[in-house]
Amino acid sequence: MNTESRQLRTQVSYRFGVPLLYLSGELDRHSHDDLRALIEQELASRPSGLLLECSELAFIDSGGLSLLFETLKSLEDRRWLGIVSPNVGVLKLIEMTGLTDRPGVRVYSDLAAVKKALSGSGAQPS
């Protein structure tokens, strides 16, 4: 499934037994509702986690950050959120807001790092 909303482009794949959403463009007040709907759709099957691949995500605003916090809350304590390949600006914002300090949130440099973290455990990455 592909969606396009104002400058956010998404593509859904499945890796490591969880949905992997590729995000590119800008996650802002114009696009976060469409991404929310896509995330809700992917979480309906109750996967153990969710990966957001952000290497092409150029910008995130407060609406996008709020959506990440909502997503983490909807995952509950038993599931996890992985943020893969965020650029320096996006990483700085998610660190400043404390998202990366929350249990269940992991930041990975790339998909190979996700694979390494998940190998052997089959559960929440560390």
Side-chain angles (χ1 to χ4, degrees), residues 36-54:
R36 177 183 288 114
L38 180 59
I39 288 172
E40 287 173 358
Q41 176 182 327
E42 293 304 320
L43 294 181
S45 64
R46 304 209 30 91
S48 62
L50 176 69
L51 290 167
L52 302 177
E53 205 289 350
C54 300

Side-chain angles (χ1 to χ4, degrees), residues 57-70:
L57 186 65
F59 174 81
I60 187 169
D61 74 0
S62 60
L65 289 167
S66 179
L67 175 58
L68 295 180
F69 278 96
E70 287 175 30

